[in-house]
Amino acid sequence: MTTTTPPAPYALTPRRVLRSEWHKLRTLRSTWITLAVACALVIGVGITMGSTYDGDDSEIDTVVFVLLGTQLSQICVAVLGILVTAGEYSTGMIRASLTAVPRRLPVLWSKAAVFATLAFSLTFVTNVVTFLLAQLWLSDTDKALSLTDSGVLGALAGNAAAVTLLSLVALGLGALLRSVPAGIGAFVGLVLILPEVLAMIPADLVQDALRYFPTKASESLGAMTRTGDAIPPAAALLSLCLWAAATLLTSAFLLRRRDV
């Protein structure tokens, strides 16, 4: 008869690494301040858009219209993603983390998993609240919708997924560059500004490629209806997943090869 030996009280397990990263994330004051600002921006802009709507923007997708604040909150959530990884290098805590978890990679995966779960959950709830609040003013207009209408919940969830995946790209950049200022600069420059610069190039190949860049893909994922040359939501989701995976895998590769 064989017996199973229970894990030692301080044995290293994936669950305990996850709990450790969750503890570090939730006990930082900057986490909740940053997320509170991000939520306030979405809700505040959504209420403003709903209460001042006069029919001039009738061609804009309703979910996109009420969630215009996401363009601002995205930066806040992305900065938090950078702080999750690069912040430990600035404080020196990364040495303790990697000493406790010598294999290193479980630390990165746990950070990404905990951060993504928190970012998606909070963003989705904020989107639903913002939509419902905006509808208090839009209920008698051509933008009147309810959560049960076709495509609404999908667009709200898609927007939350886009914010989360873009922020995972930022988290990967933070781990890659190991510097908060460098991570923020890389995210703003490469993810937010570079596509706008490339859009000025009058070449069909460039324009087609831009549709799969993170910011353009996120616009497609968070909309109820497909407009213009936007890619389908499934392709947008896949594109964002690939961008996030590429950034995280590159940072994981370098994490294994670098000294702390």
Side-chain angles (χ1 to χ4, degrees):
M1 178 178 180
T2 59
T3 58
T4 302
T5 303
Y10 301 105
L12 185 64
T13 64
R15 181 180 177 183
R16 286 171 176 166
V17 178
L18 280 169
R19 287 180 60 186
S20 172
E21 293 304 326
W22 167 239
H23 179 76
K24 285 190 284 187
L25 183 62
R26 70 180 175 84
T27 53
L28 287 175
R29 186 182 304 171
S30 59
T31 298
W32 303 110
I33 292 175
T34 305
L35 291 176
V37 171
C39 295
L41 285 170
V42 176
I43 294 174
V45 173
I47 291 175
T48 301
M49 299 303 292
S51 61
T52 59
Y53 178 65
D54 56 7
D56 290 342
D57 299 311
S58 58
E59 74 283 357
I60 300 178
D61 185 302
T62 300
V63 172
V64 174
F65 180 76
V66 301
L67 296 183
L68 283 176
T70 299
Q71 298 176 11
L72 301 174
S73 69
Q74 174 65 78
I75 298 176
C76 296
V77 185
V79 168
L80 179 60
I82 293 168
L83 288 172
V84 167
T85 49
E88 286 204 24
Y89 284 96
S90 63
T91 61
M93 185 181 288
I94 192 65
R95 294 181 180 276
S97 297
L98 298 184
T99 299
V101 188
R103 293 176 59 192
R104 297 192 172 196
L105 294 188
V107 173
L108 179 61
W109 305 141
S110 296
K111 286 182 183 296
V114 168
F115 171 76
T117 301
L118 178 61
F120 179 82
S121 301
L122 197 59
T123 303
F124 179 66
V125 171
T126 301
N127 289 350
V128 172
V129 171
T130 303
F131 176 84
L132 293 175
L133 289 174
Q135 284 297 320
L136 294 177
W137 289 273
L138 297 174
S139 58
D140 295 326
T141 70
D142 57 343
K143 290 191 178 299
L145 288 173
S146 69
L147 289 177
T148 56
D149 287 333
S150 177
V152 172
L153 277 176
L156 295 174
N159 177 281
V163 170
T164 302
L165 289 168
L166 275 171
S167 299
L168 281 177
V169 172
L171 183 146
L173 289 173
L176 190 64
L177 300 174
R178 301 190 294 180
S179 166
V180 174
I184 295 174
F187 181 80
V188 172
L190 298 177
V191 178
L192 302 182
I193 296 178
L194 181 60
E196 301 301 324
V197 175
L198 294 177
M200 294 185 289
I201 300 176
D204 292 340
L205 181 61
V206 174
Q207 299 303 318
D208 289 340
L210 281 174
R211 296 187 300 159
Y212 296 90
F213 272 49
T215 50
K216 297 299 182 183
S218 66
E219 293 174 4
S220 301
L221 190 56
M224 288 179 57
T225 56
R226 183 181 173 188
T227 59
D229 59 350
I231 59 177
L237 179 61
L238 177 60
S239 176
L240 283 168
C241 287
L242 291 175
W243 281 105
T247 310
L248 288 171
L249 289 174
T250 302
S251 61
F253 174 76
L254 293 178
L255 180 62
R256 290 291 300 270
R257 296 180 62 87
R258 287 170 168 170
D259 293 332
V260 177

